[in-house]
Amino acid sequence: MRGRRGDRMTINIQEHMAINVCPGPIRPIRQISDYFPRRGPGPEGGGGGFGEAPAHLGPLALAPPAALLGATTPEDGAEVDSYDSDDTTALGTLEFDLLYDQASCTLHCSILRAKGLKPMDFNGLADPYVKLHLLPGACKANKLKTKTQRNTLNPVWNEDLTYSGITDDDITHKVLRISVCDEDKLSHNEFIGEIRVPLRRLKPSQKKHFNICLERQVPLASPSSMSVALRGISCYLKELEQVEQGPGLLEERGRILLSLSYSSRRRGLLVGIVRCAHLAAMDVNGYSDPYVKTYLRPDVDKKSKHKTRVKKKTLNPEFNEEFFYEMELSTLASKTLEVTVWDYDIGKSNDFIGGVALGPGARREARKHWSDCLQQPDAALERWHTLTSQLPPAAGALPSA
């Protein structure tokens, strides 16, 4: 390569001696300047000489970023989001689809594939799997997980994971955390990278396609290893996070689908316990043996208790049971329906999983569901509700089945 006639251009020794160290015979690679052509003399800075892109480079070298990422064309009607995607990332990229079905209150997560993951094992490969969490909330209660792909840095899952009981309020405030981890049977599993997607970026009934670089997890240092100033900053950030999440934030323990209907003919309230989803695991086997109890407070005669059957070893039980409370509509307006979910244990007290109260003093969706039921007699209204760690006042004295 020559610049002016008679003058020879100098090339750095690092550039000249660059070699490819992949398995196989050691051979020189193209000069780095071939991949980053310099602007030289010529019309508009792009004339002949060394200002042009080398002619021997194939189409791949000049392909758009989507081709380098190996991304497939998304389905028709799917919105694409490939910001920050980069095939040269040290952690790799993850490709997935998200769809919020407003009618069925479900969030569909299609985990497609990953590319260029960071090697985690001694053989230079990894055994990757994907975990999903909804934040803020109880991680164990809403964790979903794919299967593990063995000995690969470019795994293909094509798995559909579904969250049930997702409301419009969840879409506004929650964040989906997608973590890629390496499974290790001899020790603890290792974290590779993660992606956090605010659900407010999704539009109802419109699939959104993502192809994004994985990011590192940045945990806060333990208080013992931090200076006084850093501890102060850490406390400030935690308080700020609590303020952003809202006052009185409670730990989420799952979701429950309830049906309410006031029968004008029978003159009473019909309560349907349909199903639960993503309950917190209370047993050592990673499951629970859940059942549901309902009370109509205040309960002076202590006759308002109803209880479903116990469902064994499940975090997503289906009950489909109905209870009836005979009461005038005017009296019902001052009542509160308390619904609690328990884990059945033999030989000891049952564990409280979560609860929700519906009535005039409830908040958000619980209060709206109650008021809609009273305003629309003879109409069966099904709504999802979040179970929290707060035990209703009168339920604490009733741990037994």
Side-chain angles (χ1 to χ4, degrees):
M1 182 182 298
R2 296 177 182 272
R4 293 183 304 174
R5 188 173 183 179
D7 294 337
R8 189 176 187 84
M9 290 189 63
T10 58
I11 300 176
N12 295 335
I13 186 65
Q14 293 90 345
E15 186 174 325
H16 181 70
M17 297 300 295
I19 58 174
N20 187 354
V21 294
C22 66
I26 297 177
R27 58 187 184 277
I29 64 173
R30 294 191 183 101
Q31 296 175 1
I32 297 176
S33 58
D34 288 347
Y35 295 94
F36 301 94
R38 303 181 181 91
R39 290 280 182 179
E44 299 182 1
F50 56 86
E52 296 180 348
H56 61 272
L57 290 181
L60 180 62
L62 302 177
L68 292 176
L69 281 168
T72 57
T73 303
E75 300 178 1
D76 293 340
E79 185 179 349
V80 181
D81 193 333
S82 58
Y83 68 91
D84 289 343
S85 295
D86 186 358
D87 196 41
T88 61
T89 177
L91 301 178
T93 60
L94 181 66
E95 188 174 352
F96 58 96
D97 294 333
L98 297 179
L99 172 63
Y100 170 52
D101 190 340
Q102 192 176 29
S104 61
C105 297
T106 54
L107 176 64
H108 300 277
C109 311
S110 300
I111 307 300
L112 304 179
R113 63 184 64 83
K115 185 176 180 182
L117 295 180
K118 178 183 177 181
M120 304 298 291
D121 299 335
F122 290 111
N123 58 3
L125 300 174
D127 302 319
Y129 65 93
V130 177
K131 291 191 302 182
L132 305 182
H133 294 98
L134 280 177
L135 305 176
C139 291
K140 292 184 179 180
N142 59 41
K143 181 181 76 172
L144 299 178
K145 178 182 172 183
T146 67
K147 297 179 181 178
T148 301
Q149 302 295 324
R150 302 290 177 184
N151 295 322
T152 178
L153 299 181
N154 301 285
V156 177
W157 289 284
N158 288 326
E159 291 190 39
D160 294 328
L161 305 177
T162 302
Y163 279 106
S164 300
I166 302 300
T167 63
D168 291 339
D169 185 67
D170 294 325
I171 295 297
T172 304
H173 297 96
K174 288 191 176 293
V175 174
L176 178 65
R177 179 193 181 199
I178 307 177
S179 307
V180 181
C181 301
D182 171 60
E183 183 178 286
D184 196 334
K185 294 183 178 180
L186 301 180
S187 63
H188 63 279
N189 298 337
E190 295 180 291
F191 174 84
I192 298 178
E194 70 173 27
I195 296 169
R196 299 197 179 195
V197 181
L199 296 185
R200 62 178 178 269
R201 300 180 58 189
L202 304 180
K203 299 178 181 179
S205 303
Q206 181 174 341
K207 181 184 291 186
K208 193 174 181 67
H209 184 77
F210 296 83
N211 191 0
I212 311 178
C213 292
L214 295 174
E215 299 177 352
R216 291 179 175 84
Q217 188 180 35
V218 185
L220 290 174
S222 61
S224 59
S225 62
M226 292 190 296
S227 64
V228 177
L230 289 179
R231 283 198 296 269
I233 294 175
S234 176
C235 294
Y236 167 76
L237 292 177
K238 289 182 180 179
E239 291 179 359
L240 180 62
E241 182 180 3
Q242 293 176 358
V243 171
E244 291 177 349
Q245 292 175 355
L249 182 68
L250 300 171
E251 180 186 1
E252 293 186 8
R253 298 291 186 85
R255 305 295 175 94
I256 186 169
L257 181 59
L258 300 176
S259 173
L260 297 182
S261 175
Y262 184 82
S263 175
S264 301
R265 181 179 60 85
R266 300 174 62 183
R267 295 187 178 276
L269 176 67
L270 190 63
V271 179
I273 310 298
V274 183
R275 55 176 294 207
C276 295
H278 316 300
L279 294 179
M282 307 301 290
D283 299 333
V284 294
N285 59 6
Y287 293 97
S288 294
D289 301 320
Y291 67 95
V292 180
K293 292 192 294 185
T294 64
Y295 294 88
L296 198 58
R297 309 287 187 187
D299 184 18
V300 179
D301 299 330
K302 301 186 182 298
K303 296 182 180 179
S304 68
K305 174 184 173 182
H306 289 286
K307 184 179 66 174
T308 67
R309 295 186 298 271
V310 177
K311 301 295 182 178
K312 295 291 186 179
K313 291 185 64 176
T314 178
L315 301 180
N316 300 280
E318 293 190 9
F319 298 100
N320 294 316
E321 298 186 35
E322 291 183 340
F323 306 127
F324 182 74
Y325 292 98
E326 185 176 357
M327 189 171 299
E328 294 293 333
L329 183 61
S330 58
T331 306
L332 191 62
S334 61
K335 298 286 187 177
T336 297
L337 178 67
E338 292 180 357
V339 182
T340 55
V341 183
W342 300 79
D343 170 52
Y344 177 75
D345 289 320
I346 300 178
K348 60 178 182 178
S349 298
N350 299 325
D351 299 319
F352 174 72
I353 297 179
V356 62
L358 292 79
R363 299 179 57 189
R364 296 183 178 177
E365 188 63 29
R367 182 174 182 174
K368 187 176 187 302
H369 193 185
W370 185 257
S371 62
D372 289 348
C373 172
L374 301 182
Q375 295 172 8
Q376 304 175 37
D378 301 316
L381 304 177
E382 282 192 1
R383 306 277 174 83
W384 283 95
H385 298 279
T386 300
L387 299 170
T388 65
S389 56
Q390 183 179 17
L391 187 65
L398 300 166
S400 62

